[in-house]
Amino acid sequence: MYLHGRNVLREILALPAGRLNVKRIIFTDSENADAGLRRLEDGARSRGWKIEFAGAERLFQLCREKKNQGVLIEIKRFPYADLDELLSPPSAGGESTLVVLDRIQDPHNLGAIVRSCAAAGGDGIVIGTHSAAEVTPAVVKVSSGLVFRLPVVRVANIAATLEKLKKRGYWIYASAMAGPSLWKTDFAPKTALVFGNESEGIRRLVRERSDHLISIPMEPGVDSLNVAASAAVVLFERRRRLGERAVPAEN
Amino acid sequence: MYLHGRNVLREILALPAGRLNVKRIIFTDSENADAGLRRLEDGARSRGWKIEFAGAERLFQLCREKKNQGVLIEIKRFPYADLDELLSPPSAGGESTLVVLDRIQDPHNLGAIVRSCAAAGGDGIVIGTHSAAEVTPAVVKVSSGLVFRLPVVRVANIAATLEKLKKRGYWIYASAMAGPSLWKTDFAPKTALVFGNESEGIRRLVRERSDHLISIPMEPGVDSLNVAASAAVVLFERRRRLGERAVPAEN
């Protein structure tokens, strides 16, 4: 799998050693490569990764993306996490925010939700293995590489996973068109936010496992937002409520 | 220009007569057309619009989109509004929220921002004529047709337009990476929210015309959100502050 983009390589360089199996990094062979690209090359070199150079044509052939910013990262596969890894150790202060996606199909939406989740201080993402976008190079790019900051877990059964989360102390909030206002919702210290498919929303079996429905108050006659917009609104409302307490020290 | 999609036709059917010059509506000639499509056909017929039928192949040829939901709407051009139209009459209660976009280039982002703006009760959108996505069929589709609920104004000079808005009583809030927290910002009754280009943000000349900078508090080390996610967060925070007062009666 060929990932591309400078932010993506920057995030990969920040990963703990051994977290990701990097096969090689391919930089543009253009002599106009700027200082930013040179710094990334130094970083990749110091990690001991295999480095190659290629022309613009070849870079495009490999990743099928013109806007690759002169850098490709070849990895074997995206490093999904286990659910157990996601759930332990608990976050500092006992507060935690997870995002669970029920059949999100547009890679652009998945990437944007991952980015918002990381930006809002969420602790991880759960996606399904069926009828759902997986983490592709496009998703990595749209997430601005932030998909590497969070554990992303793929599970066969979303409803059963919600049961496991509840056993670990999470309360489940399902985003729906109807339901109590987001602004009047009290979130539990351990909160899992569920968002559903772009056109069909959350499946009944998944909704039935949820503790609360929440909806974003909207203009009359408008029945839904883009799911990535909804997720951003809910995630940052959650962050607003947590206030400064949940902001970890800069590392 | 060929628009497509059922929500799009639904929004067009809800427009006041004469607002949009519809050249013709083309429905799928499939015998499996469902009741929803039949209702849309009745609606189009009662408006006196020219109606045609065509096979899936032909529909695709015209709009280049497989997911056209069996309906195309041919219009001459997107009906942009004038700035004067946007600014008068003033909203009920003297409260108003506008969105000004400084060189948003991705049609997906523009469509999602329009949708969020309409859903949050915003009163209109200003976009530039240079280096900016205009309202294309893709933008209309991503907005779920809601682009027809709001005046969209194209202006040659964003900075000069902000001056005009200020003369009409608007205060300008520019979304930036650094700046006072959104959550501590007091919005004026007449608020214009400015969002900038996906990679470069808001231009200096535009920022200098703004009264306030605002930023969304984020996790340390994350420097920005997708612009459509940012716009959703800011627009719904604005709506939350306006509370129930600004919600117009269902019409």
Side-chain angles (χ1 to χ4, degrees):
Chain A
M1 178 191 285
Y2 288 95
L3 309 177
H4 60 272
R6 297 179 184 200
N7 278 341
V8 174
L9 179 52
R10 219 165 275 133
E11 292 294 330
I12 288 175
L13 282 168
L15 289 174
R19 179 85 180 82
L20 180 68
N21 184 358
V22 174
K23 297 179 79 170
R24 57 177 173 160
I25 315 278
I26 314 177
F27 290 99
T28 171
D29 63 7
S30 161
E31 292 183 359
N32 300 321
D34 53 278
L37 211 55
R38 295 256 157 71
R39 268 195 303 276
L40 288 172
E41 189 188 322
D42 290 344
R45 230 175 259 290
S46 73
R47 297 292 291 264
W49 293 333
K50 186 174 169 189
I51 290 172
E52 296 176 15
F53 297 87
E57 186 76 8
R58 177 79 182 134
L59 293 183
F60 174 73
Q61 273 173 3
L62 290 172
C63 74
R64 313 304 301 175
E65 170 60 56
K66 287 226 161 107
K67 297 181 184 168
N68 55 53
Q69 300 178 318
V71 55
L72 263 52
I73 307 102
E74 187 183 4
I75 63 173
K76 196 161 174 194
R77 64 174 69 88
F78 181 78
Y80 291 103
D82 290 330
L83 191 60
D84 286 343
E85 195 179 327
L86 181 69
L87 294 175
S88 62
S91 309
E95 282 160 346
S96 174
T97 306
L98 300 180
V99 167
V100 179
L101 301 178
D102 184 25
R103 299 170 308 149
I104 295 297
Q105 295 192 311
D106 179 343
H108 194 288
N109 284 336
L110 176 57
I113 293 171
V114 167
R115 186 171 174 182
S116 295
C117 182
D123 298 295
I125 308 250
V126 177
I127 62 178
T129 48
H130 303 299
S131 310
E134 56 185 317
V135 180
T136 60
V139 170
V140 172
K141 189 68 197 334
V142 174
S143 83
S144 198
L146 294 178
V147 71
F148 290 109
R149 292 225 193 159
L150 293 173
V152 180
V153 179
R154 279 183 100 199
V155 299
N157 189 325
I158 295 280
T161 302
L162 293 183
E163 290 298 336
K164 286 182 193 165
L165 293 179
K166 286 159 86 164
K167 283 191 185 129
R168 301 295 283 264
Y170 281 88
W171 290 74
I172 316 294
Y173 299 78
S175 180
M177 273 163 40
S181 161
L182 166 65
W183 298 325
K184 291 174 181 159
T185 299
D186 284 322
F187 290 106
K190 289 187 170 184
T191 283
L193 304 167
V194 187
F195 301 94
N197 174 270
E198 287 88 348
S199 48
E200 292 162 27
I202 296 172
R203 282 171 295 184
R204 188 175 57 81
L205 277 174
V206 173
R207 206 173 54 230
E208 287 172 358
R209 297 297 197 290
S210 303
D211 298 298
H212 302 281
L213 295 181
I214 48 176
S215 70
I216 299 173
M218 281 179 221
E219 203 63 5
V222 177
D223 64 0
S224 72
L225 278 180
N226 166 275
V227 66
S230 289
V233 171
V234 175
L235 278 160
F236 279 92
E237 178 64 7
R238 161 73 169 163
R239 185 178 180 90
R240 190 179 70 81
R241 306 285 190 84
L242 286 176
E244 297 306 312
R245 285 174 300 150
V247 179
E250 186 116 28
N251 51 15
Chain B
M1 178 191 283
Y2 287 96
L3 309 177
H4 60 271
R6 299 181 182 196
N7 279 341
V8 173
L9 179 52
R10 219 166 276 133
E11 292 294 331
I12 288 174
L13 282 168
L15 290 174
R19 180 88 181 81
L20 181 68
N21 185 357
V22 174
K23 299 178 78 171
R24 57 175 173 162
I25 315 278
I26 314 176
F27 290 99
T28 171
D29 63 7
S30 161
E31 294 184 358
N32 299 322
D34 53 278
L37 212 54
R38 295 256 158 72
R39 269 195 302 275
L40 289 171
E41 189 189 322
D42 290 344
R45 229 174 259 290
S46 72
R47 297 292 291 263
W49 294 332
K50 186 175 169 189
I51 291 173
E52 295 176 15
F53 296 87
E57 185 76 9
R58 177 79 183 136
L59 293 183
F60 174 73
Q61 273 173 5
L62 291 171
C63 74
R64 312 306 299 173
E65 171 59 56
K66 288 227 162 107
K67 296 183 186 170
N68 54 54
Q69 301 179 317
V71 56
L72 263 54
I73 307 103
E74 187 182 5
I75 63 173
K76 196 163 175 192
R77 64 174 70 87
F78 181 78
Y80 292 103
D82 290 330
L83 191 60
D84 287 342
E85 195 180 328
L86 181 68
L87 293 175
S88 63
S91 309
E95 283 160 345
S96 175
T97 307
L98 300 180
V99 166
V100 179
L101 300 179
D102 184 25
R103 300 170 308 146
I104 295 297
Q105 296 192 311
D106 179 344
H108 194 289
N109 284 336
L110 176 56
I113 292 171
V114 167
R115 185 172 174 182
S116 295
C117 182
D123 298 295
I125 308 252
V126 176
I127 62 178
T129 48
H130 302 299
S131 309
E134 56 185 318
V135 180
T136 59
V139 170
V140 173
K141 188 70 198 330
V142 174
S143 84
S144 199
L146 294 177
V147 72
F148 290 109
R149 293 225 193 162
L150 293 173
V152 180
V153 179
R154 280 182 98 199
V155 300
N157 190 324
I158 295 278
T161 301
L162 293 183
E163 290 299 337
K164 286 182 194 167
L165 293 180
K166 285 158 87 164
K167 284 192 185 126
R168 301 295 284 263
Y170 282 87
W171 290 74
I172 316 294
Y173 300 78
S175 180
M177 272 161 43
S181 162
L182 166 65
W183 298 324
K184 291 173 182 160
T185 298
D186 284 322
F187 289 106
K190 289 185 169 186
T191 283
L193 304 166
V194 187
F195 302 94
N197 175 269
E198 287 87 347
S199 47
E200 292 162 26
I202 297 172
R203 282 171 295 183
R204 187 176 56 80
L205 277 174
V206 173
R207 205 172 54 230
E208 286 172 359
R209 297 297 195 293
S210 303
D211 299 297
H212 302 280
L213 296 180
I214 48 175
S215 70
I216 299 172
M218 283 180 219
E219 203 64 5
V222 177
D223 63 0
S224 73
L225 277 181
N226 167 276
V227 66
S230 289
V233 171
V234 175
L235 277 161
F236 279 91
E237 177 65 6
R238 163 71 171 164
R239 186 178 178 89
R240 189 180 71 80
R241 305 285 190 84
L242 286 177
E244 297 307 313
R245 287 173 298 149
V247 179
E250 186 114 28
N251 50 16

